Amino acid sequence: MKRIIVILTFLLATQNSSAQLFTKEKVANNIDNLDQKQLSWGYFLGFNQYDFKFQYNENLEDILVDKTFGFHLGLIGDLRLNNYMNLRLEPGVFFTTRNLRYDESYFAGMEFNDADLLREVKSTYIHLPLLLKISTKRINNFKPFIIGGISTALNLSSNQDNPDDNSSGEFRMQKNTLFYELGFGIDLYLLYFKFTPSIRAIFSFNDEIIRDADPNSPWTGNVNQMQTRGIFINFTFQ
C-alpha cells in the first residue's frame, strides 16, 4: 500500500510538472517570495527502508536481510546561498526494523535452534544531516533539484553498552554512525505552501557491528564489515 501511495504521488507530481512545462497557457506563479527568504523553515515526513551491506572473512553463505518499511519525521532549516543553492539542516527521528537470517552452515558442529538463525534488529535513529541542495531555474510552479551531503545518526536501540551478546540473544551495533547521502526531487509551488516529494539514498562510512566475546561466534565471527545503507522517501512542507 505504501509503495502505491508513493508511486501515485510521483506520477501526480510528474503530470503536474509536465503540464506546466509544455502548456502554452501562462501559469500564475504561486508564493513568489518564498525562495527569496534568507532563512526558511518546514517539516518533513516519509518512509524509509534500511539494509545492511556485509563483507565477510570467509566465503560462507550470505547473511540475508529482510527489509521492512519504516517511518520518519523531522524539521527543516534552510539557508539560501543564491538562486540555485541552499544549505539545509534536517534533524529527524527514524524508526526501522531489519531481520537478519543466518544459514545453518554458520552453526556447523554446534547445537542450535530456529531462534538462533534469526536476529531482529530494531533501530530508532536521531538523524542529523547537513545537505547542499542544487536546483534548476524555477519553471512556472515547479523546480527540480539534486541534494547531497553528510549526516550523523545516534542509534538509540544499538545495545552498544549491553554486556550481553548474541549468545544471550542480544545483537549489538555501534551507537554512532556517519553517512553520506544523495538524492533528487521536485519542488511544487502550491497556493499557500511548497510541497516537495523526493527520494534519497544513504550509505554509512563505518563498520557498525559490535562483535561477540567469542571470536568464533556464528553471528559475528565471519563478519569483516557491516554497514547500513537505505532509501528515504520524503514529503516536505515549507
Side-chain angles (χ1 to χ4, degrees):
M1 185 62 183
K2 293 176 182 177
R3 294 185 181 182
I4 294 173
I5 293 173
V6 171
I7 292 171
L8 287 176
T9 300
F10 273 93
L11 286 176
L12 288 172
T14 303
Q15 183 182 30
N16 181 63
S17 302
S18 299
Q20 292 187 30
L21 180 61
F22 296 110
T23 183
K24 295 181 180 180
E25 298 180 5
K26 182 175 177 58
V27 178
N29 283 352
N30 296 325
I31 48 176
D32 259 341
N33 64 333
L34 180 62
D35 288 346
Q36 301 308 311
K37 294 181 178 180
Q38 191 71 28
L39 288 172
S40 60
W41 311 93
Y43 66 93
F44 67 89
L45 51 85
F47 305 109
N48 58 72
Q49 189 176 74
Y50 282 84
D51 191 6
F52 285 124
K53 177 184 177 182
F54 286 96
Q55 295 182 21
Y56 303 101
N57 296 318
E58 299 179 14
N59 188 23
L60 300 178
E61 293 291 331
D62 287 345
I63 301 171
L64 303 181
V65 184
D66 292 341
K67 302 177 289 292
T68 62
F69 271 103
F71 175 75
H72 58 259
L73 71 165
L75 303 174
I76 296 170
D78 186 288
L79 173 65
R80 179 180 180 270
L81 301 179
N82 56 42
N83 287 337
Y84 304 102
M85 300 175 67
N86 296 69
L87 194 64
R88 296 168 72 95
L89 193 64
E90 298 186 358
V93 182
F94 290 66
F95 307 92
T96 189
T97 299
R98 288 159 285 187
N99 293 316
L100 304 184
R101 297 190 180 276
Y102 290 82
D103 188 82
E104 293 182 3
S105 59
Y106 279 77
F107 298 85
M110 301 173 56
E111 292 186 4
F112 65 94
N113 54 44
D114 290 342
D116 293 326
L117 301 177
L118 176 66
R119 285 292 179 266
E120 184 181 51
V121 184
K122 291 185 177 182
S123 299
T124 300
Y125 290 105
I126 304 298
H127 193 79
L128 185 64
L130 182 63
L131 306 167
L132 181 65
K133 177 183 177 183
I134 303 175
S135 306
T136 66
K137 183 178 180 180
R138 176 173 171 172
I139 305 172
N140 292 328
N141 285 318
F142 81 97
K143 184 165 64 174
F145 64 87
I146 58 174
I147 192 167
I150 59 172
S151 59
T152 184
L154 175 65
N155 185 355
L156 302 180
S157 309
S158 69
N159 280 326
Q160 175 177 303
D161 300 322
N162 193 330
D164 295 329
D165 60 17
N166 279 288
S167 61
S168 302
E170 298 294 338
F171 188 89
R172 301 177 299 173
M173 296 174 57
Q174 298 289 342
K175 186 177 295 184
N176 297 293
T177 308
L178 186 65
F179 299 94
Y180 68 93
E181 308 189 13
L182 297 169
F184 64 92
I186 303 176
D187 287 331
L188 301 175
Y189 297 82
L190 306 182
L191 192 58
Y192 299 109
F193 63 91
K194 180 167 65 175
F195 171 66
T196 305
S198 64
I199 295 178
R200 195 181 308 164
I202 67 163
F203 308 89
S204 70
F205 286 107
N206 52 296
D207 180 21
E208 297 171 66
I209 196 169
I210 294 182
R211 287 160 181 83
D212 297 338
D214 180 3
N216 298 314
S217 165
W219 297 279
T220 64
N222 192 42
V223 178
N224 180 262
Q225 271 197 332
M226 184 188 78
Q227 296 172 292
T228 288
R229 54 190 178 183
I231 295 288
F232 298 165
I233 299 169
N234 287 343
F235 303 102
T236 299
F237 303 85
Q238 285 180 272

